[in-house]
Amino acid sequence: MAEQLAIGGLTKSFGGLDALDAIDLRIARGELVGLIGPNGSGKTTLLNIVSGYYAANGGQVRYEGRAILGLAPHKLARIGIGRSFQVTKVFRRLTLLENMLVSGLADWREGRAAAIDRAMAILDDFKLTHLTHEPAANLSGGQAKLLEFARIMMLSPKLILLDEPFGGVHPELKSFMYDKVRAWNADDVTVILISHDMGSIFGLCRRVVTLSYGNIICDGTPEETRADKAVLEAYLGDQHAA
Ligand SMILES: Nc1ncnc2c1ncn2[C@@H]1O[C@H](COP(=O)(O)OP(=O)(O)OP(=O)(O)O)[C@@H](O)[C@H]1O
Ligand SMILES: [Mg+2]
């Protein structure tokens, strides 16, 4: 398998706090990796750096062989890194179609008509066609998450970073989203999935990386992760108790 993402010694601090403490992580093209860990362990920070939203304090990130630290989010989007946000980011006053087109995601080289066609096809695929001309404000929380998924597809991404995509999503919609994640992955798209929903993580991912206080404390299969003492102590023990 070709290596797609190579993270080395990645460090991020906020004030005195090391949100990421020299992280090393390599991910091959086509992997579907779960990223778990307690609140504040650095999961979102890691995604924010890989997608260009935060600057790092040290270390490096290579994507398809290219050093990408310091590149702006829209540049990274153009070279195939797509993401969703923990707090859903849709343009509430714009229609779904406008949301698909304005986010800097449409490849305008293809021309407006072609971009609209593609947006419509994706909305259809996501069963959102009936809402095409509605403002995104009218969507339920789950539908807004779905629109974020649909928007990611405008990029034809090769690496998709999902931050809590299933939070507050109705079970039926959730299983639809699972199918999407599996379909992306079957197309050789790499997916990194953050979730506190262990059913989703262990159901979708063959590899699970666990963070605690900015360090990777486990990197293994779901079985290895569930049996890992450090993971149980830092995270899963609490989850089971709760
Ligand atoms: N913009 C920021 N400014 C200051 N501190 C931050 C910022 N972003 C994250 N942090 C801190 O960095 C640490 C890691 O936060 P992060 O959001 O990455 O955690 P997380 O693993 O995604 O948690 P959660 O499961 O709650 O989403 C936390 O201590 C957090 O308070
Ligand atoms: Mg987070």
Side-chain angles (χ1 to χ4, degrees), residues 219-230:
D219 182 348
T221 64
E223 295 72 28
E224 287 163 353
T225 304
R226 267 191 294 243
D228 190 273
K229 271 209 179 108

Side-chain angles (χ1 to χ4, degrees), residues 37-111:
N39 295 119
S41 55
K43 306 180 297 294
T44 298
T45 300
L46 183 58
L47 251 58
N48 280 343
I49 291 175
V50 172
S51 55
Y53 287 83
Y54 285 176
N57 293 96
Q60 42 189 298
V61 178
R62 300 186 79 81
Y63 164 75
E64 310 218 313
R66 174 176 176 185
I68 59 165
L69 276 187
L71 295 187
H74 69 275
K75 290 240 167 84
L76 294 170
R78 266 187 226 145
I79 58 172
I81 301 180
R83 70 166 296 178
S84 74
F85 292 86
Q86 186 163 4
V87 178
T88 313
K89 287 193 179 168
V90 296
F91 299 102
R92 291 173 50 81
R93 292 199 205 157
L94 300 187
T95 68
L96 271 61
L97 179 59
E98 287 163 345
N99 263 280
M100 295 291 282
L101 297 174
V102 299
S103 17
L105 303 184
D107 183 356
W108 292 107
R109 280 169 300 185
E110 73 186 321

Side-chain angles (χ1 to χ4, degrees), residues 180-204:
K180 285 292 164 209
V181 171
R182 291 199 181 98
W184 289 340
N185 196 234
D187 271 349
D188 215 27
V189 173
T190 312
V191 180
I192 302 178
L193 168 67
I194 295 179
S195 183
H196 285 291
D197 176 351
M198 290 307 111
S200 304
I201 290 285
F202 292 131
L204 286 168

Side-chain angles (χ1 to χ4, degrees), residues 74-218:
H74 69 275
K75 290 240 167 84
L76 294 170
R78 266 187 226 145
I79 58 172
I81 301 180
R83 70 166 296 178
S84 74
F85 292 86
Q86 186 163 4
V87 178
T88 313
K89 287 193 179 168
V90 296
F91 299 102
R92 291 173 50 81
R93 292 199 205 157
L94 300 187
T95 68
L96 271 61
L97 179 59
E98 287 163 345
N99 263 280
M100 295 291 282
L101 297 174
V102 299
S103 17
L105 303 184
D107 183 356
W108 292 107
R109 280 169 300 185
E110 73 186 321
R112 187 171 171 85
I116 289 174
D117 282 352
R118 216 153 50 78
M120 297 293 278
I122 295 168
L123 286 173
D124 185 50
D125 184 36
F126 279 81
K127 301 185 168 70
L128 291 169
T129 300
H130 59 297
L131 300 167
T132 302
H133 302 292
E134 297 278 326
N138 294 356
L139 299 180
S140 70
Q143 284 172 327
K145 291 265 179 203
L146 208 54
L147 176 59
E148 270 204 312
F149 264 49
R151 218 164 48 175
I152 291 172
M153 295 322 289
M154 286 301 286
L155 286 160
S156 313
K158 293 184 271 182
L159 169 65
I160 298 180
L161 313 170
L162 300 173
D163 198 351
E164 291 283 359
F166 310 120
V169 172
H170 185 272
E172 221 169 273
L173 207 52
K174 204 152 101 173
S175 93
F176 178 78
M177 290 166 86
Y178 285 2
D179 290 344
K180 285 292 164 209
V181 171
R182 291 199 181 98
W184 289 340
N185 196 234
D187 271 349
D188 215 27
V189 173
T190 312
V191 180
I192 302 178
L193 168 67
I194 295 179
S195 183
H196 285 291
D197 176 351
M198 290 307 111
S200 304
I201 290 285
F202 292 131
L204 286 168
C205 306
R206 297 315 310 152
R207 177 180 175 193
V208 180
V209 171
T210 308
L211 280 177
S212 175
Y213 294 108
N215 288 284
I216 293 176
I217 57 167
C218 181

Side-chain angles (χ1 to χ4, degrees), residues 6-13 20-25 46 49 55-62 67-70:
I7 294 171
L10 189 66
T11 299
K12 175 69 182 175
S13 40
L20 294 176
D21 183 10
I23 295 283
D24 293 312
L25 181 64
L46 183 58
I49 291 175
N57 293 96
Q60 42 189 298
V61 178
R62 300 186 79 81
I68 59 165
L69 276 187

